[in-house]
Amino acid sequence: MKDAAPQAVYLSDYTPPAYLVNQVHLTFRLAPEATRVISKIAFRPNPEAQNSDFFLHGENLRLIRAAIDGAEIKPDITPEGLRATVPDAPFTFEAEVEINPAANTALEGLYMSNGMYCTQCEAEGFRKITYYPDRPDVMSVFSVRIEGDAPVLLSNGDAVAQGAGFAEWHDPWPKPAYLFALVAGDLINHPDRFTTRSGRDVELNIWVRPGDEGKCAFGMEALKKSMTWDEEVYGREYDLDIFNIVAVDDFNMGAMENKGLNIFNSSCVLSTPETSTDANFERIEAIIAHEYFHNWTGNRITCRDWFQLCLKEGLTVYRDSEFTSDMRSAPVKRISDVIDLRARQFREDNGPLAHPVRPASFVEINNFYTATVYEKGAELIGMLKRLVGDEAYKKALNLYFERHDGQACTIEDWLAVFQEVTGRDLAQFKLWYEEAGTPRLKVRDEFKDGTYTLHFEQQTPATPGQDTKHPRVIPIAVGLLGANGDEVQETRVLEMTQAAQSFSFHGLASRPIPSILRDFSAPVVLERDTTNAERAFLLAHDTDPFNKWEAGRALARDGLIAMIREGAAPDPAYLDAVQTMARDETLDPAFRALALGLPSEDDLAQALFDMGSTPDPQAIWEALEQLRNARAKHIEGVARELYKAHQVTAPYRPDAEQSGARALSNAALAIISRIDGGALAARQFESADNMTQQLAAWSCLLQAGAGEAATQAFYDQWQGDRLVIDKWFSLQIVHASPEDTAEAASRLANHADFNIRNPNRFRATFGAMVMSPAGFHHASGKGYRLLAEWLIRLDPLNPQTTARMCSAFETWRRYDAARQTLIKAELDRILDTPGLSRDTTEMVTRIRG
Ligand code: ARG
Ligand code: ZN
């Protein structure tokens, strides 16, 4: 039986809370199947309220008793919460409820993971713990008493009392319920200390399961670096005497910034050189920074409502990307971020799930923790900074922290500080938050009498529910190069505000070569008719590292498109240019490794679709294989030199320098393996003493069809390490041939180590299948069928992860009629499932269109 259509909520319907909370006291009597939560909440009527209804959110709670000012009440209970009649003066509400953490497979609210109690309350999970006004604009001071027999009992804030079987915590900073956290279990800490610049001595801990205590050192260093960086760059200090991080194996997302008690997916905090790749280390450093930075951008200043999610997420992603740029290489970080933005956010913006960075409505907020809110949200901050300049950005941020500390804010508040500091009208800039879709920026150029002119036109395609789009303000960073490669015009930011607009550069001796959208100064698709020769020139000479990389990428893409559409041979211009680039020892090895990458199958499918072709996933895969093989023949010699020259002999360090060398030597290994059938990779697999080298070698062996022994050896070596076994699951699927992708996923889903309740393992299996488009989009429809089957199985257990993974289908309109019919049938099958969650219903309905 299907529930009634889920109800949407609208930004325009916002009303202030009827009651505010002065303080809340919670007692937890922990028991796996019957935890009691006793609450005592001091309310006061909100002078700004528009009504006096007393409603508390609450889901799946068994109410034992409730009282107001000490007198028992019998409130009205609905599936969403509780209503009662209350005095029109301050009063105390008390309740005792029972919940079942052991049965909570949705991993939202209070749940259990490997015997440990753990919470996830963002966005609306607190209502599964007790009755409460579960909205971010209700902020309060929390005191928590935990009773239970676990040796470690943690909550937010400072520890105020501890004894046999109990602990008490007090968080002096008012916070919304989504930042509440509780952890209880048999945990071991990796301790350290940090002294803030004003002299506060902070106790730091990373708490892990026994056996994992050797995997915390890197995360702890990352935390201390983050604390220093936020003091130095943003002037933000930590504000409690203790900062705890806990690693948990079963977690829907990456991590969570609960006040003073961050909770992490263990894959985003645990590391050792033997078990983690360089990429894992970089990601861990970034996520630790991200969650720590939320202490100011998210916790001290939070969101008024969930429509404002980008206020904290866009800004915090922007801050963590600045941090990574400072710790490592800024150009490499920028290029990697743009690769990711295009792969996930442009894809989203181009399909049925497109939504504004600040959505105007939603059914289930968990479905809006998206690349658009996070990554495009961060791009908007970057654009704003570029438009106002570094100094004004700094002033605006200081004003923001000063004015809004302790408040729950909106995008309007955010833009207002910039408007005040700069005197600039940001009404047009605000469109970036309100209108979905990726602008297409067309440019043509003209040279006459020493004047060079760029003519731009912008146009944003319609997105669901938004047919008309308005011209945006677009910062376009441009530099000009002379024929010898010298820069004749340094980078200048052109500010485009009209639908069509021209910009001129005067006094030039000859026609320059333009380098447009340097550093990817705006999240747009740049369209320009140009020549291979010009691209090769920019790849060789551009002084802007992003555009240098971009030129190589465009050259590769155009060649691949010609191969796919016209059966052309691999482009010799690309092969030569990439060879020159690869052996250019003045270039950072990490940059060269990135420039040896090729557009993804999904990028190519979208590019073909944009050109009016119907992408054939198999043909795309074949063209990429053909180009990789041709390239291997062409540059094998260079690859062998690079492999030798960039071996790291020093003890393993996951820093930018060593990671770059390994990235380049492993890119070379992949090239060599196409020629030698994996002989060199087999040697590297044998001798590897770190996961980066081991995994790269195994991946080359799988690619060469010579991976069987390594697959077994890898399993035997790592079967006790769940995070490494996730890699073992995904890599086999990623490297299966398109014919076998679905079989590989299905076989592994039936492996003894598969566990549908663990989101990491589920994603390692089915996420990997979806990341292999030729396999997932196999003409038989077997990939679609398998995914739908497993999503239907997962939905009753874990709606959030199910809903997120539905986005695998979001590109369905690109494909041919036969594939569209197959996908629609699977979408309908999912939608017809009795009792389908609100999360998945919303996603599939939007995708189906
Ligand atoms: N605020 C967290 C972060 O970005 C993400 C948590 C989202 N969780 C969720 N279930 N929606 O750091
Ligand atoms: Zn975040």
Side-chain angles (χ1 to χ4, degrees), residues 356 426-436 470-473:
L426 291 171
Q428 191 184 15
F429 186 81
K430 198 175 173 200
L431 292 170
W432 280 107
Y433 285 96
E434 294 174 330
E435 289 189 359
H470 301 87
R472 318 263 178 99
V473 49

Side-chain angles (χ1 to χ4, degrees), residues 513-781:
I513 292 114
S515 168
I516 306 171
L517 207 67
R518 286 187 152 180
D519 201 35
F520 203 64
S521 59
V524 301
V525 176
L526 182 66
E527 292 172 358
R528 170 156 191 265
D529 280 330
T530 178
T531 60
N532 278 354
E534 190 181 293
R535 286 187 163 140
F537 177 87
L538 288 172
L539 174 59
H541 298 294
D542 204 326
T543 48
D544 178 70
F546 175 80
N547 264 2
K548 190 178 176 73
W549 169 84
E550 178 84 320
R553 172 59 46 120
L555 197 55
R557 187 198 53 216
D558 290 355
L560 281 158
I561 284 174
M563 291 169 73
I564 297 161
R565 289 178 103 189
E566 300 143 31
D571 177 10
Y574 167 73
L575 296 177
D576 289 339
V578 85
Q579 160 143 298
T580 310
M581 182 283 302
R583 57 152 57 117
D584 181 350
E585 287 298 325
T586 66
L587 297 174
D588 178 2
F591 174 90
R592 280 183 277 166
L594 282 170
L596 282 167
L598 289 169
S600 70
E601 291 165 64
D602 202 61
D603 287 347
L604 291 166
Q606 182 66 39
L608 286 160
F609 181 74
D610 285 344
M611 301 166 72
S613 306
T614 302
D616 172 356
Q618 179 67 23
I620 293 173
W621 182 82
E622 283 168 13
L624 274 163
E625 279 299 291
Q626 196 193 339
L627 180 61
R628 287 202 175 96
N629 288 331
R631 189 175 70 171
K633 281 211 191 82
H634 197 76
I635 66 170
E636 186 207 347
V638 178
R640 289 196 184 273
E641 289 163 27
L642 291 176
Y643 185 79
K644 260 206 220 100
H646 295 276
Q647 287 305 308
V648 176
T649 49
Y652 181 89
R653 276 182 286 116
D655 59 10
E657 196 193 333
Q658 280 200 10
S659 309
R662 278 187 290 270
L664 185 56
S665 74
N666 285 328
L669 182 65
I671 291 166
I672 297 162
S673 299
R674 286 181 180 265
I675 305 291
D676 77 356
L680 184 59
R683 287 210 290 284
Q684 178 168 317
F685 186 83
E686 283 309 312
S687 63
D689 63 358
N690 64 72
M691 184 49 70
T692 307
Q693 296 297 90
Q694 189 178 17
L695 207 65
W698 178 37
S699 144
C700 290
L701 288 166
L702 287 169
Q703 162 62 37
E708 220 168 296
T711 300
Q712 188 59 48
F714 192 93
Y715 182 79
D716 294 344
Q717 182 181 357
W718 295 116
Q719 54 180 308
D721 191 305
R722 54 214 180 277
L723 295 176
V724 182
I725 292 300
D726 287 335
K727 300 183 197 307
W728 185 77
F729 270 70
S730 42
L731 216 60
Q732 292 181 70
I733 298 163
V734 164
H735 282 288
S737 74
E739 197 53 52
D740 294 330
T741 305
E743 279 79 1
S746 169
R747 177 172 57 78
L748 285 161
N750 288 296
H751 191 278
D753 292 334
F754 183 79
N755 175 7
I756 193 172
R757 288 181 156 74
N758 179 255
N760 289 0
R761 192 59 49 88
F762 193 91
R763 282 188 287 256
T765 309
F766 295 103
M769 175 171 83
V770 166
M771 297 279 282
S772 311
F776 176 55
H777 293 282
H778 190 270
S780 64

